[in-house]
Amino acid sequence: MVLWRIANDESDAAWDQHLRAARDAVVFQSAGWAAFKAQAGWRPFRAVAQDDHGRVAAMVQFLVKRMPLGVTMAWAPGGPMWRFAEPVGEIRKEDWAGLFALLTSQMPCVLARIDSYEPESAGEPSPFGASVRRPRHRIGSGASIRFDIAGGEDAFVAGMSSKHRYYLRKGLAAPLRWEAGATDRDIAALVALHREMQTTKNLQSGALSEQTCRAMRDALGPDGMTIVTGYVDDRPVTACLTLDFADSAFYYLAATGAEGRKLSAAYAMLPRLVAALHAKGIRRLDFGGTAPDVSERAGVDHFKKGFGGEAVTYRGEWEAASLPLLAPAAGLLMKWRGITL
């Protein structure tokens, strides 16, 4: 049996220290991510479950925000965590009910939603019990591709499809120069490419600003972001950004301009990214999600799948509401407002 307690009084450093001990720790549960989202009006609500010996058995960071009509949204991207390097026993289904009881005791009109990045097996029952249910309107697909990059760049290339290796050779033959970092120059290049991509593809949403990227970098800290950029002469032609925490990285954003597409620059960029992450001690890379049921994303998903890796389905999104009609109403509001990670 475990006992949940509010952990809002813990320092950010102490929270991240606990999080690093989790087997599948993700950046979206970190104090740095909460600091970044605070700039958009979200505040962290942290809870920890401890066993009879005081050991941490589970932990979760909700991002909390007041919505219209007095509803509070509590959103836990990447959480909760309950697999640790030193196991402390199984969390029972009834233990999760204690978490949501703790949350509703603090927020009487709340919709709580978790988005677990714990992989699930086909046909495996939910570990969360009857205290939560699947939402009607999901924010993400719950599917992604994960890479073990402990073997570095060469092992990553060996896992690529033959067609992707063909385009890789084409990219390597191009006059590309690579830079890796998270400086203002790196951010400016990425934003310029993203703006070009939006204009070329006539995309109406998802605008990116240098100010937002700098704020994200500053909140996550000097090791929390990696940007890899490919240049021809001094012109950026392709770039990608990962968010890094502990030994894992999340592929957050990428953009390639018209010149870069002609050179197959994006195919050459991914091995460079793996090399940069490996040098930082990163051992796991999440390719930032796939969308198997969205036809408009088929091209992007095909690009991602060609690099190999392991296709995974996460346990994904589950929700609990303090009032019966709150979940469907708030779900529609989330879809309308476009709440994302």
Side-chain angles (χ1 to χ4, degrees):
M1 181 177 179
V2 301
L3 180 65
W4 286 94
R5 65 172 177 83
I6 298 172
N8 293 337
D9 57 344
E10 287 192 6
S11 69
D12 288 348
W15 178 261
D16 282 350
Q17 183 177 359
H18 287 313
L19 185 60
R20 286 188 175 90
R23 193 173 65 186
D24 290 317
V26 294
V27 65
F28 303 114
Q29 283 288 293
S30 71
W33 186 253
F36 169 63
K37 298 302 287 185
Q39 300 173 46
W42 297 87
R43 61 181 177 86
F45 179 91
R46 296 168 180 160
V48 169
Q50 293 176 298
D51 67 7
D52 294 336
H53 301 284
R55 298 174 300 182
V56 174
M59 59 189 298
V60 62
Q61 173 178 265
F62 288 95
L63 300 177
V64 177
K65 191 174 187 179
R66 289 294 296 273
M67 298 296 180
L69 305 178
V71 175
T72 299
M73 177 65 197
W75 166 236
M81 299 288 162
W82 71 94
R83 309 286 189 191
F84 291 87
E86 297 183 7
V88 297
E90 288 295 320
I91 304 294
R92 302 173 303 172
K93 291 184 177 182
E94 51 266 37
D95 291 328
W96 295 112
L99 168 63
F100 296 105
L102 178 66
L103 192 64
T104 54
S105 72
Q106 303 297 309
M107 306 167 204
C109 187
V110 62
L111 173 67
R113 183 175 293 194
I114 61 176
D115 185 18
S116 171
Y117 284 12
E118 172 79 12
E120 69 176 7
S121 301
E124 186 180 20
S126 163
F128 304 121
S131 57
V132 295
R133 69 175 191 177
R134 285 292 191 189
R136 293 184 182 180
H137 303 283
R138 299 188 192 184
I139 295 173
S141 69
S144 192
I145 299 172
R146 300 204 310 183
F147 297 88
D148 179 346
I149 60 171
E153 181 180 359
D154 291 343
F156 178 79
V157 170
M160 294 169 59
S161 70
S162 58
K163 189 171 184 179
H164 269 47
R165 285 198 297 270
Y166 165 78
Y167 287 113
L168 169 62
R169 290 191 294 271
K170 183 179 177 182
L172 292 175
L176 290 163
R177 177 176 56 82
W178 299 96
E179 293 184 8
T183 66
D184 288 354
R185 167 184 163 87
D186 299 321
I187 288 172
L190 174 67
V191 170
L193 286 166
H194 190 264
R195 189 177 298 120
E196 178 189 344
M197 182 181 70
Q198 279 199 304
T199 301
T200 302
K201 297 185 177 182
N202 196 29
L203 301 176
Q204 303 300 318
S205 61
L208 184 70
S209 72
E210 293 184 37
Q211 180 181 4
T212 297
C213 287
R214 289 195 298 267
M216 190 186 305
R217 176 199 61 195
D218 295 344
L220 294 177
D223 296 322
M225 176 184 289
T226 301
I227 299 174
V228 171
T229 310
Y231 291 87
V232 173
D233 295 328
D234 204 37
R235 302 185 305 277
V237 298
T238 189
C240 65
L241 180 155
T242 65
L243 305 180
D244 312 328
F245 183 83
D247 67 345
S248 67
F250 186 90
Y251 191 81
Y252 190 72
L253 187 70
T256 300
E259 185 176 6
R261 288 193 293 274
K262 292 178 182 178
L263 299 173
S264 299
Y267 293 87
M269 177 174 62
L270 266 296
R272 293 286 182 168
L273 171 65
V274 168
L277 294 175
H278 190 262
K280 292 176 65 173
I282 301 294
R283 295 295 179 263
R284 294 181 291 119
L285 171 64
D286 187 310
F287 221 161
T290 56
D293 300 324
V294 181
S295 58
E296 293 83 357
R297 289 283 305 275
V300 175
D301 286 359
H302 175 76
F303 171 78
K304 291 183 176 183
K305 291 176 182 177
F307 289 97
E310 175 192 8
V312 295
T313 299
Y314 293 128
R315 296 195 183 276
E317 297 175 42
W318 298 83
E319 67 182 11
S322 57
L323 300 173
L325 297 179
L326 185 57
L332 288 171
L333 177 64
M334 289 171 62
K335 187 176 182 181
W336 172 58
R337 293 286 293 271
I339 295 175
T340 65
L341 287 173

